[in-house]
Amino acid sequence: MPQKKFYRQRAHCNPLSHNDAFEYPLRHDLMDWTAEHYPAWKESSEASRPTVLDIGCGFGGLTVALSKALPNETILGMEIRAKVTEFVRLRILALRKDVPGSYQNASVMRTNSMKFLPNYFPKGSLEKLFFCFPDPHFKRKNHPRRIVSYRLLSEYAYFLKPGGKLYAITDVKDLHEWHVKECDSHPMFDRITDKKELADDPCISAMITETEEGKKVARNGGDKHYAVYRRVPTYH
Amino acid sequence: MRQLIARHDDFFIVALKDKAYLVFEGKGKKSIIEFLTPPSSQEETQQAVVIENTKTSSSDDVNADANAKAEVKVKVAKVKNPPSSSDEELKEISAVAIIGGDDKNNTILRCAVARNNKTLSIYNVTTEDIELASVSTKTASIVYRTPKRVSCFAFSDLPMDDGSSSNTKSTLLISGDVAGDSYAYNLLRKGQRLLLGHTASMLTDIAIVDRDDIASFSRRRLLLTADRDEKIRISQFPDSYILEGFLLGHTAYVTAFTTIPSSYLAVSCGGDMTLRLWNIDDKSEICNLSTCDNNKNEIPTAITVSGCGQIIAVIFDECKRLSIYKISHKEINDQNSNNNTSPSLTLLGSVDCPSQPLSLIFHGKEAESNNNDNNGSVLTVLMGDPNYVGTYNIQDEHDDDNTVVSAISESSSSMQELLDVALKEEISMPKTILEKRNGDPILHKQNETRGPAGDDAPWNRVERIEIAKGHQKRSNAKKAEKKWKKRRTEAEAKVDTNSTVIE
């Protein structure tokens, strides 16, 4: 199991930069998911395509928790920082070795999800999207760098199946209000307020307690605010 | 990217550096109208300052007001906007567009001009303007401030649903800007709306196309936007938050694309020096063709398609070549019920223009030419100085390759007036459409030293981890030693006290 202290990296990163050499496939059908990410999960690359995305997965707490909570889905964590991605990769490898047969459905990728999602996923292929404790980008001029915004919600709606869910949690009240405002004003998303539905969903408790950032917030006695949205089906 | 010439019927809107002109043939003689630059706030202050200096005692109310405003404005200008680039560069035109207007108020044309100083001016041209003689000028009816510089345009109608008669349409101007956002601007009164955004990826070209949806028997209007991250995104219009798909295939930034009228085809060119033919309905790439000629590798910068939909003209960056390609439909002989034709791209011929070509457009089908045996299309190319403009006749069928592209002399075209104005004002045209820094287009992505997390990545190198472990061991050892020493001294102290007690 890798040790976190060797993989520390600065938390803030500019996702709008053009000069990070990311490798990405030309089209989603040219990506082989079984080669690097899910070697022992499903037969074909298409069946191994991720259905649950943890965007900004950090040190991988939620990714591995979801792997246990959703054993039939394929989980992929996406992180833009190289060191941290390497940590999660080694963590998953260690877990796969320690618990044979488990954690084969989880993996991590270093990529910029604001730009390169279309290269990896076809239309309507995702069940769930998670945005856990994203960078708040407090300054007004940095608001376009926020991961949940009106422009990007159109893309997320394209990749989510109709009825798919989008989860956002943060400890910054300002950012939570921004998330709610952006998603409410977007015609393709409806907020889930049904208490029973929220209580039955195992992902929500995982999202609240299992992330590294969430644990830190709990240690410091902070509040967590979350919102869950459903992707509305499109009628032509 | 940066379309500097556009056409509607026989009217051309042309951008020469920072001046825009409407060129047409009216009543047998050529006419030209200049579209005036809207005054920027800096200009106003400079002019106002001049007025203040020359007319110290101004009794005119208007001037007094202007002077009072100017004083305030000058202070603001000094603090806020130190002009770093010259005024000329700021006023340079980045895109133009033209569309036929409705007949309300006798507006027959609507033109839009976007400049580098983030202004977008709309001009409504009426029949009276056309009937005035020779050179005249026109001021903008609406001027918008765009949040970022506009790089491309498209016009579209939008049926108005405000209870009025169902046939009224409002024309919208769709813009794509350098921040990756696309806004829709209202032409009748001020109002704009964000349609979509490609995050952090400059939009290089934009188009609106109507497609039939066979399943639901409806016509759908689509908005296509091309960006710097090699993607062409297809969204619905006007509900642009609904994405239809992506055309993926370019391996470098897309510089321009165009849709073939009345078909499912689109053609794009990019920094990977290829032309690609796309099927918009399937969202797939049909074929691609490299535009490299021998060992000359120039980046194609603009494409235009002829009225018949089969001839494509391409120009390049830092190269005088004009290449003509043809979309040919080859019949596939198979026994399927639907006889598929597989389109392909072929190079017909190339010619060198006298100056650096910057932008180009085909004339309409009904354009006349003085040639007798003309069954080709006429193409106008906007170039750098000293030629400014060139007109070519493109032949479809050719006996030998030389007659594919033939130049037409200027005096017969309506561009002669434009040429005269350009020579008189000694306008110096830009050298290139693509913005450059240190010789490389800024669209080009640099690969820094941060590569994928590989074995030789610095944080992954085993030595560093070993060294860190070594540090850790030493500091642990030190701490352990301190603790041990402390315990020893405490134990010794206890023994001493015990001994004193015993004694």
Side-chain angles (χ1 to χ4, degrees):
Chain A
M1 186 68 72
Q3 282 183 289
K4 238 189 250 183
K5 63 186 170 197
F6 298 121
Y7 294 93
R8 293 281 175 206
Q9 192 171 354
R10 189 169 178 266
H12 300 285
C13 186
N14 182 2
L16 308 187
S17 162
H18 275 285
N19 294 333
D20 279 342
F22 288 105
E23 286 183 353
Y24 45 92
L26 200 60
R27 286 194 312 268
H28 61 84
D29 49 327
L30 298 174
M31 171 78 185
D32 186 4
W33 293 102
T34 56
E36 197 189 316
H37 291 281
Y38 305 102
W41 176 229
K42 295 254 168 86
E43 302 292 312
S44 65
S45 171
E46 202 173 314
S48 312
R49 195 195 301 125
T51 50
V52 175
L53 287 190
D54 181 7
I55 296 189
C57 64
F59 288 93
L62 183 64
T63 313
V64 301
L66 286 178
S67 173
K68 274 264 126 146
L70 305 170
N72 293 328
E73 306 280 356
T74 318
I75 325 280
L76 182 69
M78 296 178 128
E79 175 60 51
I80 196 172
R81 295 174 285 168
K83 261 193 195 177
V84 177
T85 318
E86 183 62 14
F87 174 86
V88 184
R89 187 181 75 87
L90 293 174
R91 179 177 179 178
I92 292 179
L93 282 179
L95 281 171
R96 282 181 184 172
K97 213 194 304 181
D98 288 345
V99 189
S102 289
Y103 298 105
Q104 291 295 341
N105 59 340
S107 183
V108 71
M109 182 157 71
R110 177 184 174 250
T111 184
N112 185 342
S113 56
M114 285 170 112
K115 288 199 204 171
F116 302 127
L117 281 181
N119 294 85
Y120 288 104
F121 302 103
K123 175 174 179 171
S125 61
L126 297 181
E127 294 274 355
K128 296 176 194 293
L129 273 177
F130 287 87
F131 299 95
C132 298
F133 302 94
D135 194 337
H137 291 295
F138 289 112
K139 290 190 198 172
R140 185 109 188 267
K141 71 171 168 107
N142 284 342
H143 282 186
R145 297 191 195 179
R146 287 181 167 169
I147 192 84
V148 179
S149 69
Y150 186 84
R151 294 166 180 76
L152 282 169
L153 280 171
S154 309
E155 287 195 28
Y156 300 148
Y158 171 77
F159 294 113
L160 275 173
K161 287 190 179 124
K165 292 192 193 162
L166 185 139
Y167 302 76
I169 185 172
T170 178
D171 58 322
V172 179
K173 190 150 199 341
D174 211 18
L175 184 63
H176 172 73
E177 278 161 19
W178 162 279
H179 284 168
V180 170
K181 182 174 73 111
E182 296 289 299
C183 296
D184 280 345
S185 66
H186 197 280
M188 304 280 278
F189 286 98
D190 263 349
R191 188 162 187 186
I192 300 180
T193 42
D194 181 20
K195 291 240 157 66
K196 183 166 186 317
E197 195 178 344
L198 291 176
D200 285 344
D201 196 342
C203 308
I204 294 187
S205 51
M207 177 171 77
I208 296 177
T209 51
E210 295 292 335
T211 65
E212 270 81 9
E213 188 69 27
K215 290 178 188 161
K216 183 162 83 168
V217 169
R219 270 202 307 273
N220 297 341
D223 290 321
K224 294 178 199 171
H225 311 279
Y226 70 89
V228 184
Y229 281 85
R230 192 195 325 274
R231 197 271 202 200
V232 174
T234 29
Y235 298 105
H236 293 299
Chain B
M1 176 111 198
R2 288 187 65 184
Q3 184 81 7
L4 295 179
I5 184 169
R7 179 188 67 83
H8 176 78
D9 288 344
D10 287 330
F11 298 92
F12 291 84
I13 177 170
V14 185
L16 296 177
K17 194 77 193 279
D18 56 342
K19 298 201 189 336
Y21 297 93
L22 182 70
V23 177
F24 53 93
E25 270 183 60
K27 296 186 181 163
K29 60 176 181 187
K30 295 97 184 175
S31 296
I32 184 168
I33 297 180
E34 178 184 345
F35 288 134
L36 291 178
T37 321
S40 62
S41 57
Q42 263 193 336
E43 231 183 36
E44 274 173 358
T45 61
Q46 286 169 9
Q47 284 175 358
V49 168
V50 166
I51 295 172
E52 207 180 317
N53 290 340
T54 52
K55 294 188 195 177
T56 45
S57 58
S58 49
S59 51
D60 201 330
D61 281 354
V62 176
N63 273 352
D65 272 355
N67 285 344
K69 269 193 222 162
E71 281 185 36
V72 175
K73 268 191 189 168
V74 164
K75 284 185 202 160
V76 170
K78 274 188 193 159
V79 169
K80 263 192 185 173
N81 303 333
S84 50
S85 48
S86 63
D87 244 5
E88 279 272 314
E89 243 175 68
L90 277 181
K91 282 194 264 174
E92 189 174 330
I93 296 176
S94 53
V96 295
I98 185 171
I99 194 174
D102 40 52
D103 278 5
K104 262 193 293 196
N105 310 325
N106 287 328
T107 315
I108 51 169
L109 283 180
R110 294 193 202 276
C111 305
V113 176
R115 291 165 200 274
N116 280 354
N117 55 5
K118 299 192 211 167
T119 55
L120 168 58
S121 346
I122 313 282
Y123 302 88
N124 293 330
V125 179
T126 62
T127 40
E128 291 110 43
D129 296 319
I130 305 295
E131 278 158 22
L132 286 176
S134 213
V135 185
S136 59
T137 56
K138 188 146 180 72
T139 46
S141 50
I142 308 180
V143 178
Y144 281 104
R145 275 212 79 84
T146 58
K148 295 280 179 190
R149 274 186 296 138
V150 170
S151 61
C152 44
F153 272 141
F155 267 107
S156 176
D157 299 326
L158 192 65
M160 290 203 288
D161 48 357
D162 56 352
S164 54
S165 73
S166 54
N167 283 336
T168 51
K169 286 191 184 168
S170 88
T171 314
L172 291 180
L173 175 67
I174 322 288
S175 75
D177 65 14
V178 297
D181 292 333
S182 173
Y183 285 90
Y185 294 94
N186 194 324
L187 296 182
L188 299 175
R189 54 186 176 281
K190 271 216 163 177
Q192 65 187 59
R193 186 159 74 93
L194 171 70
L195 285 179
L196 57 86
H198 290 226
T199 314
S201 198
M202 173 156 64
L203 287 190
T204 50
D205 216 338
I206 191 168
I208 301 259
V209 72
D210 283 328
R211 296 301 309 143
D212 287 324
D213 192 4
I214 304 171
S216 59
F217 290 104
S218 63
R219 284 224 102 172
R220 256 195 306 171
R221 182 156 285 185
L222 300 174
L223 172 66
L224 278 80
T225 42
D227 70 4
R228 183 187 176 179
D229 281 318
E230 312 105 30
K231 299 182 187 36
I232 301 178
R233 169 174 151 169
I234 306 179
S235 327
Q236 280 191 14
F237 180 76
D239 302 324
S240 322
Y241 48 81
I242 303 179
L243 263 95
E244 291 285 312
F246 290 89
L247 298 177
L248 301 173
H250 271 288
T251 53
Y253 50 90
V254 180
T255 47
F257 78 92
T258 183
T259 50
I260 313 292
S262 311
S263 84
Y264 59 89
L265 295 170
V267 162
S268 65
C269 65
D272 54 358
M273 294 175 272
T274 56
L275 273 187
R276 290 177 199 260
L277 191 61
W278 307 91
N279 180 334
I280 299 181
D281 292 335
D282 281 345
K283 288 125 192 136
S284 60
E285 183 181 326
I286 300 175
C287 65
N288 63 59
L289 185 66
S290 166
T291 56
C292 300
D293 178 24
N294 299 330
N295 42 6
K296 292 193 230 159
N297 296 341
E298 289 88 15
I299 302 165
T301 51
I303 303 189
T304 189
V305 66
S306 68
C308 59
Q310 297 199 323
I311 312 282
I312 298 180
V314 182
I315 52 171
F316 299 83
D317 178 53
E318 290 191 355
C319 170
K320 299 203 176 131
R321 191 163 92 240
L322 163 70
S323 295
I324 309 292
Y325 293 85
K326 184 182 159 105
I327 301 178
S328 40
H329 294 255
K330 287 196 288 258
E331 295 266 345
I332 307 180
N333 293 333
D334 56 43
Q335 303 305 321
N336 288 351
S337 51
N338 40 347
N339 51 342
N340 289 324
T341 57
S342 151
S344 64
L345 290 169
T346 40
L347 174 66
L348 283 185
S350 301
V351 78
D352 274 350
C353 302
S355 317
Q356 170 67 46
L358 297 169
S359 199
L360 70 181
I361 192 108
F362 271 100
H363 290 220
K365 267 192 214 165
E366 53 282 357
E368 295 152 26
S369 164
N370 290 339
N371 294 347
N372 290 335
D373 54 336
N374 168 42
N375 52 352
S377 321
V378 182
L379 173 74
T380 296
V381 180
L382 184 69
M383 333 180 176
D385 40 302
N387 296 74
Y388 294 105
V389 134
T391 311
Y392 296 87
N393 186 20
I394 317 291
Q395 299 275 70
D396 198 352
E397 308 104 54
H398 52 283
D399 304 319
D400 59 281
D401 288 298
N402 293 337
T403 58
V404 171
V405 190
S406 50
I408 299 180
S409 67
E410 291 316 303
S411 53
S412 61
S413 80
S414 47
M415 292 294 163
Q416 184 60 32
E417 280 276 332
L418 184 70
L419 198 53
D420 290 341
V421 170
L423 287 171
K424 189 173 72 170
E425 310 237 355
E426 289 178 356
I427 301 177
S428 70
M429 297 291 279
K431 293 280 180 306
T432 167
I433 289 287
L434 300 177
E435 285 173 45
K436 298 242 170 96
R437 185 164 50 210
N438 301 334
D440 269 331
I442 56 175
L443 287 173
H444 184 66
K445 289 196 228 188
Q446 311 282 358
N447 286 336
E448 280 189 347
T449 51
R450 258 198 280 178
D455 286 332
D456 49 345
W459 53 86
N460 238 359
R461 270 190 280 131
V462 182
E463 312 94 60
R464 278 184 64 147
I465 297 187
E466 292 301 321
I467 294 172
K469 282 190 185 163
H471 288 317
Q472 200 70 19
K473 257 197 224 164
R474 274 197 288 277
S475 68
N476 282 350
K478 270 197 200 159
K479 277 192 207 158
E481 186 151 353
K482 258 198 206 166
K483 231 182 175 178
W484 173 239
K485 275 195 187 158
K486 208 170 146 189
R487 265 204 222 150
R488 268 185 66 177
T489 47
E490 272 176 18
E492 278 172 11
K494 268 196 198 156
V495 166
D496 284 340
T497 51
N498 282 348
S499 58
T500 49
V501 164
I502 290 172
E503 269 182 321

